[in-house]
Amino acid sequence: MSSLLTGADGRARCAWVGTDAEYQRYHDEEWGVPLHGDRALFEKMSLEGFQAGLSWITILRKRPRFREVFDGFVPERVAAFDEDDVERLMTDAGIIRNRAKILATIGNARLVAGMRDGELDELMWSFAPDRERARPKSFDDVPAVTTESTAMSKTLRARGFRFVGATTMYALMQSTGMVDDHVEGCWRYT
């Protein structure tokens, strides 16, 4: 498979985007762009956790509903969810109805709500590798797990976070711009 795909707009993009317009927008505007803030990173952590075992496009298409039913991913609001909220979420076809992932999101929100302002951002970004690291020339150069994502996962798990495995955390690092894995030739490759 080629690492690049040229869209109808003439721009070469990372080929994982395919031809889906929403995926192209996500690639062009969000993926690999540095993201900061406890709420924003909690949302990304939650969505990456829901994505485990599924395709990201599934999550991306359901993201508006996720944001609605999880109160904008405001940690303090989600931390207050109870069993009635879990049951409400389990019946909502607009999201991924996985009890373990829903419970993990609520539990993770409680942990974030107990942190000082900015602590999650500081903690997660402390694992970002040196920005001067080698950039991928092709898909073959893009890892699924790194030393940094493994360390992030281990630290978060030690604090009680769930659905934060090393592969999931590397996907988070890519999507939040902690690493920039746009392949050589992609118009976003800088």
Side-chain angles (χ1 to χ4, degrees), residues 11-185:
R11 286 183 165 166
R13 291 179 176 83
C14 300
W16 57 262
V17 172
T19 58
D20 184 277
E22 178 59 14
Y23 231 6
Q24 287 180 0
R25 187 212 57 76
Y26 175 74
H27 169 273
D28 292 357
E29 298 174 14
E30 294 183 56
W31 195 73
V33 175
L35 179 70
H36 286 278
D38 293 345
R39 192 218 55 80
L41 290 170
F42 169 64
E43 175 182 336
K44 193 64 78 165
M45 176 194 297
S46 300
L47 293 176
E48 293 288 357
F50 274 102
Q51 185 271 330
L54 303 169
S55 68
W56 181 248
I57 192 65
T58 299
I59 301 303
L60 195 58
R61 288 183 178 135
K62 291 178 179 278
R63 184 168 62 172
R65 185 65 182 158
F66 270 111
R67 286 175 170 166
E68 186 178 338
V69 300
F70 279 99
D71 285 344
F73 288 99
V74 175
E76 295 76 15
R77 291 182 188 162
V78 179
F81 282 16
D82 60 18
E83 189 56 37
D84 289 341
D85 292 299
V86 173
E87 293 309 315
R88 169 182 57 84
L89 293 167
M90 286 297 296
T91 64
D92 194 318
I95 65 166
I96 305 304
R97 295 175 288 180
N98 178 301
R99 185 174 296 277
K101 292 176 180 183
I102 290 168
L103 291 172
T105 300
I106 295 167
N108 291 348
R110 291 176 180 152
L111 294 170
V112 175
M115 299 170 96
R116 68 171 166 69
D117 187 42
E119 186 176 353
L120 182 66
D121 185 293
E122 183 180 302
L123 175 66
M124 295 184 92
W125 274 89
S126 74
F127 294 98
D130 181 2
R131 298 293 283 178
E132 299 301 316
R133 74 179 181 83
R135 297 286 304 283
K137 294 187 182 305
S138 72
F139 280 155
D140 294 336
D141 298 328
V142 178
V145 174
T146 63
T147 304
E148 295 87 358
S149 72
T150 300
M152 179 190 283
S153 172
K154 183 177 179 181
T155 299
L156 290 170
R157 285 179 180 190
R159 287 179 170 230
F161 287 90
R162 292 178 290 167
F163 279 92
V164 291
T167 302
T168 300
M169 290 303 91
Y170 191 70
L172 178 142
M173 293 175 94
Q174 291 173 306
S175 68
T176 62
M178 291 179 195
V179 296
D180 186 351
D181 279 343
H182 289 283
V183 297
E184 190 173 287

